[in-house]
């Protein structure tokens, strides 16, 4: 069991560039989440998914899009990166929506210049 | 606004001490509360999950308590070790809303 994996681990972008972060889980979880972690702000939910083909907005969704084409994968896209999106991005998954613990990936560090 | 506050922000103790980390939340209508550990440059590892109907959970040297009426949780670490050095995050699942609401964490340093 690899748990939750994230690709890439680190990336540098220029303002206006686009990229996709990939999250994969092998625990057959229905629910998947994307968070960002910023100094002094804690972790904040960007988008989440309650199952294959469904996504919903979290607390800070602006500037991001997501897709859940396969149950095991959850993609986070930045169409036009901005310096304010410099952050550490964490993916998580869980069996249920809130009743059980969430399992986190190792994170992706993104720097937007 | 639903918030989670952790005090202190940082804590340094010598090896062997027992210590308490504090977490407070603003609304008693919660599903559960979780404590996570985060090592530098790493993801989060779940330590303990307390459902709203429970008062405490224990795992090894860790004990977490929950008092919904006062909006407080504590994480007690017994006989601290240098390997306990990390940031400890408290997260609350409120009944209203979808997201886990995280505190900003307490960074613990245990010196040998």
């Amino acid at each position: 069991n690899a748990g939750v994996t994230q690709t890439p681990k680190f990336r540098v972008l220029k303002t206006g560039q686009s990229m996709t972060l990939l999250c994969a889980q092998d625990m057959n979880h229905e629910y998947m989440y994307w968070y960002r972690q910023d100094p002094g702000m804690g972790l904040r939910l960007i988008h989440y998914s309650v199952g294959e083909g469904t996504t919903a907005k979290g607390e800070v969704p602006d500037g991001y899009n997501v897709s859940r084409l396969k149950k095991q994968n959850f993609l986070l896209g930045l169409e036009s990166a901005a310096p304010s999106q410099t952050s550490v991005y964490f993916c998580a998954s869980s069996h249920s929506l809130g009743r059980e613990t969430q399992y986190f990936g190792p994170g992706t560090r993104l720097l937007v210049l | 606004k639903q918030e989670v506050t952790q005090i202190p922000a940082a804590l340094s103790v010598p090896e062997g001490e027992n210590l308490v980390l504090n977490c407070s939340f603003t609304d008693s209508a919660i599903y559960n509360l979780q404590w996570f550990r985060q090592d530098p440059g790493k993801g989060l590892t779940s330590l303990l999950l307390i459902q709203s109907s429970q008062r405490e959970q224990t795992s090894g040297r860790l004990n977490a308590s929950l008092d919904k009426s006062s909006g407080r949780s504590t994480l007690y670490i017994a006989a601290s070790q240098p390997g306990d050095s990390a940031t400890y995050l408290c997260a609350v699942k409120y009944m209203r809303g979808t997201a886990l609401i995280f505190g900003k964490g307490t960074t613990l340093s245990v010196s040998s």
Side-chain angles (χ1 to χ4, degrees):
Chain A
N1 256 2
V4 180
T5 58
Q6 293 183 231
T7 308
K9 289 184 170 55
F10 177 69
R11 183 78 182 268
V12 179
L13 287 180
K14 294 181 179 179
T15 297
Q17 287 184 320
S18 63
M19 77 163 295
T20 300
L21 283 68
L22 171 63
C23 175
Q25 53 94 4
D26 61 2
M27 296 173 283
N28 202 35
H29 286 166
E30 288 292 335
Y31 301 89
M32 297 187 74
Y33 317 82
W34 276 108
Y35 293 88
R36 60 178 289 173
Q37 185 176 35
D38 303 291
M41 298 294 291
L43 277 91
R44 293 176 293 170
L45 183 66
I46 304 171
H47 286 281
Y48 65 99
S49 169
V50 300
E52 184 178 320
T54 67
T55 63
K57 294 180 180 179
E59 183 184 355
V60 288
D62 294 342
Y64 305 95
N65 57 75
V66 288
S67 63
R68 182 100 181 267
L69 298 180
K70 294 182 179 180
K71 186 177 183 179
Q72 63 268 33
N73 295 338
F74 194 26
L75 305 180
L76 178 70
L78 286 73
E79 289 186 350
S80 180
S84 61
Q85 294 178 304
T86 293
S87 187
V88 181
Y89 293 87
F90 288 101
C91 176
S93 69
S94 66
H95 274 299
S96 65
L97 193 64
R99 287 284 185 183
E100 297 180 10
T101 192
Q102 293 183 12
Y103 295 86
F104 281 76
T108 294
R109 294 184 178 275
L110 177 64
L111 175 62
V112 182
L113 302 175
Chain B
K1 185 180 177 183
Q2 295 170 334
E3 294 182 342
V4 176
T5 303
Q6 292 186 247
I7 295 173
L11 181 64
S12 293
V13 300
E15 182 177 7
E17 273 205 8
N18 302 324
L19 58 100
V20 173
L21 307 181
N22 297 295
C23 173
S24 61
F25 47 95
T26 53
D27 185 348
S28 61
I30 68 171
Y31 276 124
N32 57 50
L33 182 145
Q34 300 181 49
W35 284 93
F36 291 88
R37 169 183 172 140
Q38 184 176 28
D39 292 289
K42 303 292 185 183
L44 281 68
T45 301
S46 179
L47 297 173
L48 290 164
L49 169 66
I50 311 176
Q51 300 292 353
S52 61
S53 59
Q54 298 173 320
R55 293 298 299 262
E56 65 178 344
Q57 282 284 345
T58 298
S59 176
R61 294 182 294 107
L62 305 180
N63 175 275
S65 67
L66 175 65
D67 184 344
K68 283 195 309 179
S69 61
S70 66
R72 294 178 188 275
S73 174
T74 60
L75 178 66
Y76 175 82
I77 302 177
S80 58
Q81 303 171 357
D84 295 330
S85 299
T87 296
Y88 292 81
L89 297 166
C90 171
V92 173
K93 178 66 180 73
Y94 287 101
M95 287 187 176
R96 286 191 297 274
T98 305
L100 273 181
I101 305 298
F102 283 83
K104 295 177 183 177
T106 294
T107 299
L108 172 65
S109 176
V110 181
S111 55
S112 56

